[in-house]
Amino acid sequence: MSCIEHKTQPAPIGDDALDFNPFDAMEPRAPLKTPTDRKNGKHVKANDIPPQGVYLPNNNILAPHMKSPEYVQLSTAAAITLGIMGGRMYGCECTRCLNLLLTYPEGCRANCAYCGLARHREAERDYADRNFIRVDWPAVPMADIIDIVAKDAASSPFHRMCISMITHPRSEDDTFTVLEQWTDRIDPDAIPVSILSNPTTMSREDVKRTKDLGADIFTVALDAATPELFDRTRGKGVQSPHKWSKYWEIMLEARDIFGPQKFGAHIIVGMGETEYEVLNLVQELVDLGGHSHMFCFFPEQGSLMDHLPATPRDQWRRVQLARYLLDYRGVRVEQMRFDELGRVTDYGIPASELADIIEEGIAFRTSGCPGKFQDDISACDRPYGDSPPSDIASYPFQPKKKDLKRIRKQLDIPVTLE
Ligand code: SF4
């Protein structure tokens, strides 16, 4: 079998044995019309209830003033780690990344098909109550978060903080303010900061400003692996404002301003791209000096893709392993081989070497910006952001023996008998 040349390959739909999500089967549903009285967070803004401390999703208090930069939302895992919320996470004591989201009563103004924060949801759910990457995001005063972390930043469980900008006219200015408040009190060498940017409204100057204010890594959530998929899931296809070319423009600015290994792209696997396409993109990013941060597609409840299948584990494991080899082991995509449907059939290194890398287990951990352990272990572990704990896609902890046995089965690479 040889490397395929084509960019997209039609595949059969409805075949139970299919071990990947083909393009034709992954069509988002169309967004419905939002009633006028709910557009732009109108019914929330019609209230005048002042926010009081922490807001837990589904408290149903319509607090129009609960917005950035005074307020941010943070992941359930970060809230548990900070001690703001009670709870436990399967297999992990804490998260190593303090993931923050800017927040506004009218929410994100984009409409990405796979996202729980998308604009079309204003028809049925207030922004502060929306699920995102499978979990709730409580809203908390930024000053309270800084007070807790600043008490002892050097021994904080967090190895990194990340500001997710979302798409909103105020998101640049508020990102600068949140970043400045943080770096005023917390040494960015003790807890480095990443920016998950919103390229659609950003300029080169904005990228530079995040660097000047102390950001360490700048990432772009490309999410879709091809221009066609991007348009279908985040652009014209769902009445959303994003453009593939603008995302690349800002990513290349970040490369220039932040430098090698300090920029990257988020990519969701299993939205209809082939394994060949996504791994070519990973190679392109490696060649530019950047990194790819991978997510396994999961049908987020309430999103325009919530009726579609999660990425089969076979497809996900093949891409996860191949991406790790490209990103951290110097293997090139040209060394790998693919079948006629774009699936990886050969990882381009000897079987014994591959077996050792699988055994190490790091390839199957959540990928993202690095923490303090080692370069290929992400601080951003996003516990169960792309799967339930019963069928883990990205491991937020070091996979154990039983996990590796399962992973090998999913990869269809049995243990070599010695
Ligand atoms: S821009 Fe980001 S937060 Fe907004 S809908 Fe798209 S993926 Fe979700």
Side-chain angles (χ1 to χ4, degrees):
M1 267 171 281
S2 62
C3 244
I4 52 168
E5 300 262 301
H6 55 82
K7 281 294 181 188
T8 45
Q9 178 78 27
I13 303 171
D15 178 350
D16 288 344
L18 217 54
D19 67 353
F20 65 99
N21 282 347
F23 183 87
D24 294 348
M26 298 302 287
E27 181 76 47
R29 59 188 163 84
L32 296 175
K33 223 171 169 276
T34 305
T36 317
D37 63 334
R38 292 192 66 96
K39 267 191 178 166
N40 247 315
K42 199 171 173 187
H43 71 291
V44 180
K45 292 183 208 161
N47 288 274
D48 197 18
I49 304 168
Q52 286 178 346
V54 176
Y55 174 85
L56 297 177
N58 304 312
N59 274 1
N60 294 319
I61 301 166
L62 306 178
H65 310 297
M66 194 167 73
K67 57 188 174 195
S68 296
E70 290 79 20
Y71 265 76
V72 292
Q73 286 176 259
L74 77 179
S75 68
T76 297
I80 292 173
T81 304
L82 267 183
I84 283 174
M85 263 175 84
R88 286 158 66 97
M89 295 173 280
Y90 174 77
C92 340
E93 282 169 24
C94 62
T95 175
R96 297 289 175 191
C97 191
L98 176 54
N99 291 101
L100 306 181
L101 268 181
L102 297 187
T103 189
Y104 304 96
E106 58 278 7
C108 182
R109 303 319 295 156
N111 219 14
C112 306
Y114 46 84
C115 182
L117 300 179
R119 190 187 68 228
H120 69 92
R121 293 198 75 193
E122 62 193 3
E124 42 98 14
R125 207 162 176 79
D126 296 337
Y127 189 71
D129 296 331
R130 288 179 210 162
N131 47 296
F132 176 52
I133 58 169
R134 302 188 67 255
V135 295
D136 285 337
W137 290 67
V140 182
M142 186 63 201
D144 291 6
I145 297 174
I146 293 176
D147 281 348
I148 297 172
V149 179
K151 272 184 204 145
D152 188 3
S155 44
S156 165
F158 296 116
H159 289 194
R160 187 167 285 277
M161 185 273 260
C162 176
I163 308 173
S164 296
M165 291 180 67
I166 73 170
T167 303
H168 189 278
R170 287 205 47 83
S171 69
E172 285 82 37
D173 284 348
D174 293 340
T175 298
F176 302 145
T177 307
V178 167
L179 179 56
E180 205 164 13
Q181 285 172 353
W182 176 273
T183 50
D184 274 355
R185 303 256 324 264
I186 295 160
D187 180 357
D189 287 336
I191 306 179
V193 179
S194 292
I195 303 291
L196 176 54
S197 65
N198 162 37
T200 297
T201 57
M202 287 185 93
S203 65
R204 179 183 170 88
E205 273 317 299
D206 295 327
V207 178
K208 192 165 174 315
R209 183 119 189 248
T210 62
K211 168 92 173 146
D212 294 343
L213 289 172
D216 172 54
I217 291 181
F218 189 98
T219 63
V220 165
L222 212 47
D223 291 353
T226 69
E228 201 179 0
L229 265 182
F230 187 99
D231 217 37
R232 170 156 99 170
T233 58
R234 330 194 54 187
K236 285 200 292 287
V238 282
Q239 296 146 37
S240 194
H242 302 316
K243 288 201 168 66
W244 173 264
S245 55
K246 178 70 182 174
Y247 270 59
W248 273 91
E249 178 198 313
I250 292 298
M251 185 155 60
L252 294 177
E253 299 289 17
R255 175 196 184 219
D256 193 32
I257 292 164
F258 280 77
Q261 316 309 323
K262 295 291 185 184
F263 73 97
H266 288 199
I267 309 168
I268 303 176
V269 173
M271 294 209 294
E273 77 293 338
T274 67
E275 293 167 33
Y276 177 71
E277 285 168 332
V278 72
L279 292 169
N280 263 285
L281 174 59
V282 171
Q283 183 68 65
E284 206 174 337
L285 291 165
V286 169
D287 291 346
L288 286 167
H291 283 285
S292 52
H293 305 164
M294 294 264 181
F295 297 67
C296 182
F297 171 73
F298 186 87
E300 182 86 36
Q301 200 189 345
S303 75
L304 298 173
M305 293 176 83
D306 64 0
H307 57 300
L308 296 173
T311 309
R313 287 297 170 266
D314 329 38
Q315 176 185 6
W316 170 243
R317 293 288 174 230
R318 287 190 294 268
V319 174
Q320 222 183 3
L321 178 56
R323 170 258 165 197
Y324 180 77
L325 297 175
L326 301 175
D327 241 13
Y328 295 107
R329 298 300 174 107
V331 180
R332 294 196 56 86
V333 75
E334 298 83 7
Q335 291 170 245
M336 299 179 176
R337 288 195 290 177
F338 300 84
D339 68 11
E340 66 284 358
L341 294 175
R343 293 175 293 195
V344 183
T345 56
D346 189 310
Y347 295 87
I349 55 171
S352 60
E353 223 178 291
L354 191 67
D356 288 347
I357 290 169
I358 294 171
E359 197 58 32
E360 280 172 23
I362 296 172
F364 310 103
R365 294 181 66 149
T366 312
S367 64
C369 298
K372 295 177 181 171
F373 295 130
Q374 58 188 64
D375 277 355
D376 57 353
I377 296 183
S378 171
C380 187
D381 39 26
R382 308 184 294 277
Y384 314 109
D386 62 2
S387 69
S390 56
D391 184 16
I392 299 176
S394 299
Y395 281 83
F397 53 82
Q398 177 62 24
K400 300 179 183 59
K401 247 195 163 90
K402 67 172 175 25
D403 302 313
L404 290 169
K405 200 170 156 199
R406 190 172 194 189
I407 289 167
R408 270 196 223 94
K409 220 167 147 195
Q410 291 166 335
L411 279 167
D412 202 17
I413 299 180
V415 194
T416 318
L417 294 175
E418 316 218 336

